[in-house]
């Protein structure tokens, strides 16, 4: 375990093992613990601690409250291929979402497209993880999710109180021999997890990202963790608000999942997810030609005079992949992040993390 300022660098493998062991201790199967651990540690390495091991405290709280439980069995609801609907029964979302992508990819072989709606899942984590799974199979993918089961976090454009979750939007486009183009973002200016990170580190939130409980703009991230709580603002004003609203409806209303208006006090973070996976070769173009055009366009877009203070123009997903290369085999945890990790373990009656 190495230290850098107030951060500690730990081995990724040892952190994965610890997280998996924690879930096994709480009653999940080893394979399930491994899946969740891989997801969370990759999120940390990708520069998204808000969706990484920092979520363990929330998961343990949901477990202790009985909101999630080992052995929860997802079940199919009636749907005909290339459609599928999975009622997750509040099983661990990381596992059910991977199953959904794999099923969608499986349907692509016969139908050219696979469309899967997952409803009533526990928190799925970083949605880009699933776009990468589809891209590994050579597939384009699109995802919309809502966030419910807890109080709303995001104010609609023009409003002063929260009415929505951070409802992510994600698209993945595979590339030959390169990481995919990966567009994955919350529809709020910042996700709640990043407000939590700012609050823990004692730094202000970005300008224009928060309202206090009186509806006034603020940079103090503490407003999201006080009562009465403030609200996150949508990115791009009406644009982010519109995407959040559409993500809510597409992920939930089509197959009978709850919207946040129908279930906002269940004591857990739940997701519904609509996944559309398609085979780009079914559009009639030669795959090599498509790949060449993608790479040519990316070179043209990124080969541009740079603004002051900017080192390079990046494609969507490049920051995450660059972060992973910089943290190959390791994870950097803040001192607060390490403390929260061990607090979560202690709450579950488990040992502290030692590298």
């Amino acid at each position: 375990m190495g230290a850098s300022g107030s951060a500690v660098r730990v081995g990724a493998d040892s952190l994965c093992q610890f997280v998996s062991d924690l879930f096994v201790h709480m009653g999940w199967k080893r394979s399930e613990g491994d899946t969740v651990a891989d997801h969370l540690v990759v999120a940390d390495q990708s520069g998204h601690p808000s969706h990484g091991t920092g979520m363990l405290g929330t998961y343990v709280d949901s477990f202790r409250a009985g909101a999630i439980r080992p052995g929860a069995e997802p079940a199919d609801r009636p749907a005909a291929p290339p459609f599928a609907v999975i009622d997750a029964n509040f099983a661990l979302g990381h596992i059910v979402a991977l199953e959904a992508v794999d099923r969608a990819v499986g349907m692509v072989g016969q139908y050219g497209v696979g469309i899967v709606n997952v409803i009533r899942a526990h928190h799925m984590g970083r949605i880009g993880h699933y776009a990468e799974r589809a891209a590994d199979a050579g597939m384009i993918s699109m995802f919309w999710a809502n966030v419910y089961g807890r109080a709303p976090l995001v104010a609609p454009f023009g409003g002063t109180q929260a009415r929505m979750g951070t409802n992510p939007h994600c698209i993945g486009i595979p590339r030959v021999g390169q990481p995919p183009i990966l567009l994955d973002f919350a529809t709020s200016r910042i996700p709640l997890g990043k407000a939590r990170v700012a609050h823990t580190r004692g730094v202000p939130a970005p300008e224009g990202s928060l309202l206090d409980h009186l509806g006034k703009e603020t940079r103090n991230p503490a407003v999201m963790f006080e009562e009465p709580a403030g609200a996150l603002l949508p990115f791009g004003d009406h644009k982010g608000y519109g995407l959040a609203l559409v993500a809510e409806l597409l992920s939930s209303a089509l197959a009978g999942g709850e919207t946040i208006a129908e279930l906002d006090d269940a004591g857990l973070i739940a997701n519904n997810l609509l996944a559309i996976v398609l085979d780009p070769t079914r559009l009639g173009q030669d795959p090599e030609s498509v790949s060449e055009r993608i790479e040519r366009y990316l070179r043209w877009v990124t080969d541009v005079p740079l603004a002051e203070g900017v080192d390079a123009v990046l494609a969507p997903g490049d920051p995450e992949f660059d972060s992973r290369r910089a943290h190959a085999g390791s994870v950097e945890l803040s001192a607060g992040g390490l403390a929260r990790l061990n607090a979560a373990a202690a709450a579950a009656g488990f040992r502290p993390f030692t590298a």
Side-chain angles (χ1 to χ4, degrees):
M1 184 184 290
S4 174
S6 61
V8 291
R9 188 177 287 263
V10 303
D13 289 344
S14 61
L15 185 58
C16 263
Q17 187 65 54
F18 174 80
V19 174
S20 180
D21 288 347
L22 173 59
F23 276 90
V24 170
H25 170 77
M26 291 190 290
W28 275 275
K29 299 175 184 176
R30 173 61 67 185
S31 60
E32 295 170 329
D34 287 347
T35 296
V36 177
D38 175 72
H39 186 118
L40 299 182
V41 170
V42 168
D44 281 338
Q45 292 178 306
S46 300
H48 295 293
S50 58
H51 285 62
T53 52
M55 288 298 301
L56 282 172
T58 301
Y59 297 165
V60 169
D61 288 346
S62 293
F63 167 71
R64 295 179 67 204
I68 56 173
R69 56 182 175 80
E73 290 290 342
D76 281 5
R77 291 194 176 184
F83 296 90
V85 178
I86 302 173
D87 184 339
N89 195 24
F90 297 111
L92 293 172
H94 315 81
I95 298 166
V96 184
L98 277 181
E99 176 191 344
V101 172
D102 290 346
R103 288 184 62 179
V105 169
M107 289 189 285
V108 166
Q110 182 173 355
Y111 301 101
V113 64
I115 302 170
V116 181
N117 203 169
V118 179
I119 61 174
R120 302 176 67 244
H122 191 251
H123 188 239
M124 294 176 176
R126 174 178 155 267
I127 303 301
H129 195 91
Y130 312 117
E132 290 185 57
R133 179 83 155 208
D136 287 344
M139 303 299 159
I140 291 172
S141 59
M142 295 167 277
F143 302 86
W144 297 272
N146 76 337
V147 185
Y148 72 105
R150 65 178 181 187
L153 297 173
V154 184
F157 177 61
T160 60
Q161 291 183 345
R163 287 293 185 270
M164 304 177 296
T166 52
N167 299 0
H169 166 94
C170 179
I171 298 175
I173 302 174
R175 298 169 64 191
V176 176
Q178 298 287 341
I181 297 169
L182 185 64
L183 182 67
D184 177 24
F185 55 81
T187 45
S188 52
R189 191 76 53 95
I190 59 172
L192 179 66
K194 292 195 185 300
R196 183 185 297 110
V197 170
H199 181 46
T200 300
R201 293 177 177 173
V203 299
E207 192 76 41
S209 60
L210 298 171
L211 299 176
D212 65 19
H213 74 280
L214 298 175
K216 305 296 184 183
E217 284 200 23
T218 179
R219 295 189 67 189
N220 180 8
V223 300
M224 296 305 300
F225 309 101
E226 300 171 342
E227 291 295 340
L232 302 171
L233 285 168
F235 87 89
D237 299 330
H238 62 286
K239 299 173 185 178
Y241 160 58
L243 277 175
L245 188 149
V246 167
E248 184 83 34
L249 296 177
L250 288 177
S251 62
S252 62
L254 301 183
E258 289 92 352
T259 69
I260 197 167
E262 296 163 323
L263 186 63
D264 66 357
D265 60 353
L268 78 163
I269 305 176
N271 293 135
N272 300 305
L273 176 76
L274 179 65
I276 300 176
V277 177
L278 60 91
D279 181 356
T281 68
R282 297 293 189 100
L283 297 174
Q285 298 296 305
D286 174 67
E288 290 187 6
S289 173
V290 171
S291 177
E292 290 171 1
R293 294 186 68 193
I294 288 173
E295 298 307 317
R296 186 164 63 247
Y297 180 70
L298 287 175
R299 287 193 298 270
W300 182 77
V301 167
T302 57
D303 183 15
V304 63
L306 300 176
E308 184 176 352
V310 175
D311 295 327
V313 172
L314 304 176
D318 281 352
E320 287 82 357
F321 299 123
D322 288 347
S323 178
R324 276 184 228 171
R325 283 188 286 269
H327 294 88
S330 68
V331 172
E332 190 170 283
L333 297 175
S334 68
L338 181 60
R340 287 194 306 276
L341 180 72
N342 284 326
F350 193 57
R351 62 175 173 83
F353 172 68
T354 54

